[in-house]
Amino acid sequence: MSIHTLPFGNLIEIDRNSALPVFRQVANGLICLIRNGKIRPGYQLPPSRLMASELKLNRTTIVAAYDELSAQGWLEVTERRGVFVSKRLPGVSPRSFQADTEEEGLPGPSFYRRITERPPVSPELKPFDLMINDGYPDQRIAPLGAIFNHYKTLANRAYLHGQLMYGNAGSLSLRRELAVFLSQTRALNIQAENVLVTHGAQLAIFTAASMIIKPGSTVIVAELNYVLAGKLFEHLGARLIKVKVDEEGIDVDAVEEICKKSRPALLYVIPHHHHPTTVTLSAGRRVKLLEIIRRYQLPVIEDDYDYDFHYDNSPILPLASADHNGLVMYVGSISKTLAPTIRLGYLIGGSDFIWQASRLKQLAEIRGDVLFEESVAQLFNTGDMQRHIRRSVKIYKQRRDQFCDSLKSLGSDFARFVSPQGGMAVWVTFPEGYSLPQLSKRLAGKGIYMNEGSLYRYSPDINGARLGFASLNPDEMSKFFEGFRLSL
Amino acid sequence: MSIHTLPFGNLIEIDRNSALPVFRQVANGLICLIRNGKIRPGYQLPPSRLMASELKLNRTTIVAAYDELSAQGWLEVTERRGVFVSKRLPGVSPRSFQADTEEEGLPGPSFYRRITERPPVSPELKPFDLMINDGYPDQRIAPLGAIFNHYKTLANRAYLHGQLMYGNAGSLSLRRELAVFLSQTRALNIQAENVLVTHGAQLAIFTAASMIIKPGSTVIVAELNYVLAGKLFEHLGARLIKVKVDEEGIDVDAVEEICKKSRPALLYVIPHHHHPTTVTLSAGRRVKLLEIIRRYQLPVIEDDYDYDFHYDNSPILPLASADHNGLVMYVGSISKTLAPTIRLGYLIGGSDFIWQASRLKQLAEIRGDVLFEESVAQLFNTGDMQRHIRRSVKIYKQRRDQFCDSLKSLGSDFARFVSPQGGMAVWVTFPEGYSLPQLSKRLAGKGIYMNEGSLYRYSPDINGARLGFASLNPDEMSKFFEGFRLSL
């Protein structure tokens, strides 16, 4: 074997049982080597006879592979000089998926949307020792084992396609359990037909909004608002009208003024633990908002993502539990109850609305994992879920108190916050001019991740971040504040 | 205690540890009883003093509960006569979510879309002994146990939020494994940055289409087509232009004619096992279509939902594996490889397209279950997935042959079909005038579910159904044909 030939016999694996013809396997193997940089543009491949003996294959197979690669532009075959890896290969990215504009650093082709500016490729991120999130539950205290065990049992059943047939709106068991659970905890007056199970609460908001918004619709949102909801409404063609949020929640008088002048298609509101500020709508404003909804026939998406986690007072009842003639669509999350990886949310509405919404949802998601949904339904049915929530509330209340005590010790001039009545995060604002990106960088140097405020900096006078406390145990919290103090 | 009072002490459960105030628990308990039909409109409730002693509560608590229920419209309290369940309660459905129009049998209110006609409520479905689906894999042969075991290990890890941070386009491990797997099996020339993982292939089609289609766009589809794709494109505001499908796949000359006259935004094509007819695009047409794509710069969504299941010849390579300057977006499904409950699909495209698409996808799905995706990545990494596919192909080939032999024995005049080269279903057409709904009804009487063709009856001259064979073991298949013969 020639001295400058790679050990292709070891580099290219041939599977004689594969459905893929052997010559294509050779060709694919060579493509991988080129793309990995193992063989580079201009590299001379061994002649077919030599390659054949190296791979213990027939020579015609190698000729076929070289022909294929030459046709695809990977190789240049010259009658006299031999077979070379093409010098016109694309650089980093594969050619077939790379538009010419990309290589030249121009914006991509014009046939698709630009959603946002693409950031320059960021350097490889080191794993962090500790991460401060946006307000996630602690999956370590969730009864995930019980879910998997139930799932296994179901998956081994002889015949389960029955469950799959009726899954457009979610597993019937889970819809029933949710109807009971939400009736008991939120006084929602619902049955299974009012429940649509979705893969995450975002899909519930997406589905409800897609049912209501048309291009040109106007949607009322809070000025400081859950960012992805606003972006979604704009994507669907809506114009946003923003109202202020203060310590009592959104300004409902402003909502009424808008309704007097025009006919908005939708109000999006987060009555409990408003995102990002964590304020809760006051009882007085709640009553007034219900009047406005009824008087102006104003459709509402009520996003109540962590109702179950209230520590000081009892939560106010959702708008959806009052009389609203089907105008309030209610969104909740099981991801917030169990673990951020568990993607389950729900949309509650009138039975016709939910039926139509389940048809629309199919266009993005035909169904969820019905067995998984059945397993979570079982968790409600046995009471494990309810016990888990009670236990979590106790634990998270302690964590909130420890977190807020530590925050307070930093000095009220520096980190401003109001201890939240519920939820999993504290909204902290910093003095004007204090650089959160710099803070975030110093924390990263200590192995701690904290968002640098970019998630919330959609208004120039906001310099804050949501700091999630629920997923940090006491040790982790101490470690965070140790690093935090040294980084200020 | 009065003789006509229910045992409310047993019917209403009070949890003194609950965050919900006791009077609300009483109120919610009564709402449940009313909704369950245990107490009916007009029923007289015991006076507060009596109810208090029954529930072992303070009388003021009962008064507060009665007041709340009265305010909500559940009770009517008259100073003299007593406390009654309101006679104006909604019938079947809860009032707060019920629009007035619904009770009166009118279409719902006008603030939301009507997607399709809502069918009359169907009678409770009996469970079937046997179900013929649209072409699903058999989850009983899939290595689901390995996935769950890996998931459990990951879920118990002390700190996993790192994985959650980078999950917008899917778990990085799964994106990497898919890039390798698709390079090897489909000669796609891709890296992780070209892969977007989605919760089911429908979300991949949805995301790609939402990136490309604007209101007023034209989209080329096959006349007989995967229904939900066409509905999705129309929902996004597109006008469909339909081209014929014959035994060689879609009519690519017709595609060229359209491109000569106008500038379509998109072509949607299923080259392998076209849905519903299962025909595969011929090699000649594939080459011609690639020329058309390049000449007219025609963006394409290539839906290749069961490429891995080919039985007779080796599959043709996807359009996406050829040179197309980033114009072909490729969609595949892991649900079809493992089990219909496992919801995983992927979208392959240029790195800029995929980055932008991951931002757009967030509006409907922030992320998938990253731990689950990591567990499936592990399946690829260990080779378990590849072994599972090889094994499935062997089993499904046998099942296809048994199924087609049995079909043939029914007589070619009756059930017409072409044995599919791959995939999991046979497209069977029946004589004009033969009633599939009647057949489906007779089969249901024997405990067998079969779609009555409504899924495909979007053209008046189609009288066919896709019959899935892959999920039926030999016994089940014999049982099906036994019932089938008796029902014809």
Side-chain angles (χ1 to χ4, degrees):
Chain A
M1 209 176 96
S2 142
I3 193 169
H4 46 263
T5 293
L6 288 165
F8 287 103
N10 299 328
L11 290 172
I12 298 176
E13 213 181 322
I14 303 299
D15 175 3
R16 290 177 189 277
N17 296 321
S18 166
L20 202 65
V22 174
F23 85 91
R24 284 227 179 89
Q25 294 185 45
V26 174
N28 292 350
L30 285 169
I31 290 173
C32 284
L33 293 175
I34 296 171
R35 286 187 38 243
N36 292 340
K38 290 230 167 64
I39 54 181
R40 301 214 157 255
Y43 178 90
Q44 180 170 13
L45 284 169
S48 53
R49 197 182 33 77
L50 199 59
M51 186 63 117
S53 91
E54 173 71 6
L55 297 179
K56 303 191 179 61
L57 295 172
N58 199 301
R59 191 183 153 193
T60 54
T61 307
I62 305 300
V63 172
Y66 282 0
D67 283 351
E68 172 82 21
L69 289 171
S70 163
Q72 286 185 26
W74 290 98
L75 300 184
E76 280 160 12
V77 185
T78 53
E79 204 73 45
R80 292 278 173 110
R81 295 188 48 239
V83 182
F84 295 85
V85 176
S86 172
K87 287 191 177 147
R88 286 177 46 254
L89 287 178
V92 189
S93 284
R95 180 195 250 164
S96 60
F97 280 101
Q98 192 79 3
D100 293 337
T101 45
E102 280 187 60
E103 286 175 54
E104 292 154 21
L106 301 171
S110 59
F111 73 83
Y112 60 86
R113 290 165 194 254
R114 298 260 107 60
I115 307 300
T116 54
E117 194 76 29
R118 191 181 180 192
V121 178
S122 47
E124 194 74 17
L125 284 157
K126 292 177 302 182
F128 292 95
D129 301 328
L130 204 57
M131 307 196 76
I132 308 304
N133 58 51
D134 189 45
Y136 292 157
D138 189 342
Q139 94 287 344
R140 293 168 295 185
I141 65 171
L144 301 184
I147 300 179
F148 299 137
N149 290 339
H150 196 65
Y151 196 121
K152 265 191 181 171
T153 310
L154 288 175
N156 288 329
R157 272 194 199 163
Y159 220 81
L160 55 83
H161 288 128
Q163 273 105 331
L164 299 179
M165 305 295 303
Y166 316 110
N168 283 154
S171 111
L172 195 54
S173 316
L174 184 54
R175 295 170 75 198
R176 282 183 180 143
E177 292 295 338
L178 277 171
V180 171
F181 176 75
L182 298 175
S183 301
Q184 287 171 346
T185 56
R186 290 144 168 88
L188 292 186
N189 183 11
I190 54 171
Q191 300 174 342
E193 63 178 16
N194 298 102
V195 182
L196 176 73
V197 175
T198 56
H199 188 243
Q202 183 70 29
L203 188 58
I205 302 173
F206 174 88
T207 305
S210 300
M211 286 286 289
I212 296 169
I213 293 173
K214 297 186 185 74
S217 296
T218 53
V219 176
I220 308 175
V221 296
E223 197 174 46
L224 266 173
N225 192 34
Y226 173 52
V227 182
L228 282 182
K231 283 190 180 167
L232 162 65
F233 304 150
E234 288 181 322
H235 173 74
L236 296 174
R239 187 171 64 83
L240 303 186
I241 308 182
K242 298 184 180 179
V243 296
K244 294 230 177 276
V245 188
D246 58 26
E247 62 283 356
E248 283 193 65
I250 60 162
D251 180 349
V252 297
D253 291 328
V255 172
E256 181 160 29
E257 283 310 308
I258 295 163
C259 291
K260 273 183 188 162
K261 285 185 213 141
S262 64
R263 215 182 141 73
L266 182 66
L267 162 70
Y268 172 78
V269 64
I270 315 171
H272 281 112
H273 326 136
H274 179 82
H275 197 286
T277 65
T278 78
V279 296
T280 289
L281 191 69
S282 69
R285 288 204 187 162
R286 175 178 176 275
V287 170
K288 181 137 198 205
L289 185 53
L290 279 166
E291 278 170 21
I292 294 168
I293 292 166
R294 285 187 291 251
R295 181 172 317 142
Y296 299 96
Q297 292 287 300
L298 175 65
V300 175
I301 295 179
E302 178 176 32
D303 185 349
D304 205 7
Y305 65 105
D306 56 9
Y307 177 93
D308 293 305
F309 298 94
H310 223 82
Y311 312 126
D312 298 328
N313 314 309
S314 60
I316 59 164
L317 282 182
L319 298 167
S321 73
D323 213 3
H324 54 71
N325 199 24
L327 287 161
V328 179
M329 268 52 68
Y330 183 79
V331 170
S333 167
I334 298 178
S335 308
K336 290 281 181 187
T337 315
L338 285 173
T341 49
I342 304 296
R343 306 309 301 162
L344 274 181
Y346 47 84
L347 172 64
I348 310 298
S351 58
D352 181 63
F353 184 89
I354 290 299
W355 191 87
Q356 299 284 350
S358 76
R359 304 336 269 174
L360 188 146
K361 193 202 71 155
Q362 275 197 98
L363 303 178
E365 183 199 61
I366 297 182
R367 70 173 79 83
D369 182 337
V370 182
L371 293 191
F372 186 78
E373 291 170 12
E374 296 267 325
S375 308
V376 173
Q378 181 76 357
L379 213 61
F380 280 104
N381 191 267
T382 57
D384 280 344
M385 181 68 100
Q386 292 82 338
R387 275 185 288 277
H388 164 66
I389 292 175
R390 277 200 291 274
R391 195 171 150 245
S392 307
V393 166
K394 269 185 204 154
I395 294 173
Y396 295 165
K397 184 180 198 297
Q398 287 164 0
R399 291 184 180 179
R400 179 203 60 174
D401 292 340
Q402 187 191 342
F403 197 88
C404 288
D405 286 347
S406 304
L407 261 183
K408 205 176 285 172
S409 73
L410 298 177
S412 64
D413 282 349
F414 179 65
R416 280 181 209 170
F417 69 97
V418 176
S419 174
Q421 295 180 317
M424 306 184 185
V426 184
W427 172 243
V428 187
T429 56
F430 297 88
E432 203 189 316
Y434 184 81
S435 169
L436 283 181
Q438 290 296 328
L439 169 63
S440 175
K441 219 170 178 179
R442 289 191 296 272
L443 280 167
K446 298 189 168 48
I448 299 173
Y449 171 85
M450 187 188 119
N451 179 275
E452 21 63 270
S454 65
L455 282 174
Y456 317 104
R457 207 175 299 120
Y458 33 72
S459 163
D461 40 301
I462 294 164
N463 196 27
R466 266 170 77 96
L467 303 183
F469 57 80
S471 58
L472 300 172
N473 66 30
D475 276 358
E476 289 159 351
M477 218 180 274
S478 303
K479 256 186 224 157
F480 166 62
F481 277 101
E482 216 168 279
F484 200 51
R485 273 190 204 94
L486 293 170
S487 307
L488 294 178
Chain B
M1 208 175 96
S2 143
I3 193 167
H4 46 267
T5 294
L6 287 164
F8 287 101
N10 300 328
L11 290 172
I12 299 176
E13 212 181 322
I14 303 299
D15 175 3
R16 290 178 188 274
N17 296 319
S18 166
L20 204 65
V22 173
F23 84 90
R24 284 225 180 90
Q25 294 185 45
V26 175
N28 292 350
L30 284 169
I31 290 172
C32 284
L33 292 174
I34 296 170
R35 288 189 34 244
N36 293 340
K38 290 229 167 66
I39 55 180
R40 302 215 157 251
Y43 178 89
Q44 179 169 14
L45 284 169
S48 52
R49 198 183 32 78
L50 198 58
M51 185 64 118
S53 92
E54 173 72 6
L55 297 179
K56 302 191 179 62
L57 294 172
N58 198 302
R59 191 183 155 195
T60 54
T61 308
I62 304 300
V63 172
Y66 282 180
D67 283 353
E68 172 82 22
L69 289 171
S70 164
Q72 287 185 27
W74 290 98
L75 300 185
E76 279 160 13
V77 185
T78 52
E79 204 73 45
R80 294 276 175 113
R81 294 189 48 241
V83 181
F84 296 86
V85 175
S86 171
K87 286 190 178 149
R88 286 175 46 254
L89 286 178
V92 190
S93 286
R95 179 197 250 166
S96 61
F97 281 100
Q98 192 80 6
D100 293 338
T101 46
E102 281 187 59
E103 286 176 53
E104 293 152 21
L106 301 172
S110 60
F111 73 83
Y112 60 86
R113 291 166 195 254
R114 299 259 107 61
I115 308 299
T116 55
E117 194 75 28
R118 190 181 180 190
V121 178
S122 46
E124 194 75 15
L125 284 156
K126 289 178 303 182
F128 292 97
D129 300 327
L130 205 56
M131 307 197 77
I132 308 303
N133 58 52
D134 189 45
Y136 291 157
D138 189 342
Q139 93 287 346
R140 293 168 296 185
I141 65 171
L144 301 184
I147 300 178
F148 299 137
N149 289 339
H150 196 65
Y151 195 122
K152 264 192 182 171
T153 310
L154 287 175
N156 287 330
R157 274 194 197 164
Y159 221 81
L160 55 82
H161 288 127
Q163 272 107 330
L164 299 179
M165 304 295 304
Y166 316 110
N168 283 153
S171 111
L172 194 55
S173 317
L174 184 54
R175 295 170 75 199
R176 283 183 179 142
E177 292 294 339
L178 277 171
V180 171
F181 176 74
L182 298 175
S183 302
Q184 286 170 349
T185 55
R186 290 142 167 89
L188 291 187
N189 183 11
I190 54 170
Q191 299 173 343
E193 62 178 16
N194 299 103
V195 182
L196 176 74
V197 175
T198 55
H199 188 243
Q202 182 71 27
L203 188 57
I205 302 172
F206 174 88
T207 305
S210 299
M211 285 286 289
I212 296 169
I213 293 173
K214 296 185 185 75
S217 297
T218 53
V219 176
I220 308 175
V221 296
E223 197 174 49
L224 267 173
N225 192 36
Y226 173 52
V227 181
L228 282 183
K231 282 191 181 165
L232 163 64
F233 304 150
E234 288 182 321
H235 173 74
L236 296 174
R239 187 172 62 85
L240 304 186
I241 308 183
K242 298 185 180 181
V243 297
K244 293 231 179 274
V245 187
D246 59 25
E247 62 283 355
E248 284 192 64
I250 60 162
D251 180 348
V252 296
D253 291 328
V255 172
E256 182 161 29
E257 283 309 309
I258 295 163
C259 290
K260 273 184 187 160
K261 284 184 214 143
S262 63
R263 211 179 146 73
L266 180 67
L267 163 70
Y268 171 78
V269 63
I270 314 171
H272 282 111
H273 327 136
H274 179 83
H275 197 285
T277 66
T278 79
V279 296
T280 290
L281 190 68
S282 70
R285 288 204 186 161
R286 176 180 176 275
V287 169
K288 182 138 197 205
L289 185 53
L290 279 167
E291 279 169 20
I292 295 168
I293 292 166
R294 285 188 291 250
R295 182 172 315 142
Y296 299 96
Q297 292 288 299
L298 175 64
V300 175
I301 294 178
E302 179 176 30
D303 185 350
D304 205 7
Y305 65 104
D306 56 9
Y307 178 95
D308 293 305
F309 298 93
H310 224 84
Y311 312 126
D312 298 329
N313 314 308
S314 60
I316 59 163
L317 281 181
L319 299 167
S321 72
D323 213 3
H324 53 71
N325 199 25
L327 287 161
V328 179
M329 269 50 68
Y330 182 79
V331 171
S333 168
I334 298 178
S335 307
K336 290 282 180 187
T337 315
L338 285 174
T341 48
I342 303 296
R343 307 309 301 163
L344 273 180
Y346 46 84
L347 171 65
I348 310 296
S351 58
D352 182 63
F353 184 89
I354 290 299
W355 191 87
Q356 299 284 349
S358 75
R359 303 336 269 177
L360 189 145
K361 194 201 69 156
Q362 275 196 96
L363 303 178
E365 182 201 59
I366 297 183
R367 71 173 77 84
D369 182 337
V370 182
L371 294 192
F372 186 77
E373 291 171 12
E374 296 267 325
S375 308
V376 173
Q378 180 77 356
L379 213 62
F380 280 104
N381 191 268
T382 57
D384 280 344
M385 181 68 100
Q386 292 83 339
R387 277 185 287 278
H388 163 65
I389 291 175
R390 278 200 290 274
R391 191 167 153 248
S392 307
V393 166
K394 269 184 205 154
I395 294 173
Y396 295 165
K397 185 181 196 300
Q398 288 164 359
R399 290 183 181 180
R400 178 202 60 175
D401 292 342
Q402 187 191 339
F403 197 88
C404 288
D405 286 349
S406 303
L407 261 183
K408 205 178 280 171
S409 73
L410 298 177
S412 64
D413 282 349
F414 178 66
R416 281 184 207 167
F417 70 98
V418 176
S419 173
Q421 295 179 317
M424 307 185 184
V426 184
W427 172 242
V428 188
T429 56
F430 297 87
E432 204 188 315
Y434 183 82
S435 168
L436 285 181
Q438 290 297 328
L439 169 63
S440 176
K441 217 169 178 179
R442 288 192 296 271
L443 280 168
K446 296 188 169 50
I448 299 172
Y449 170 86
M450 187 187 119
N451 179 275
E452 21 65 271
S454 63
L455 282 174
Y456 317 105
R457 208 174 298 121
Y458 33 72
S459 162
D461 40 301
I462 295 164
N463 196 25
R466 267 170 76 96
L467 303 183
F469 57 80
S471 58
L472 299 172
N473 67 29
D475 275 359
E476 289 159 350
M477 218 180 274
S478 305
K479 254 185 226 159
F480 166 63
F481 277 101
E482 216 168 279
F484 200 52
R485 272 190 207 93
L486 293 170
S487 306
L488 295 178

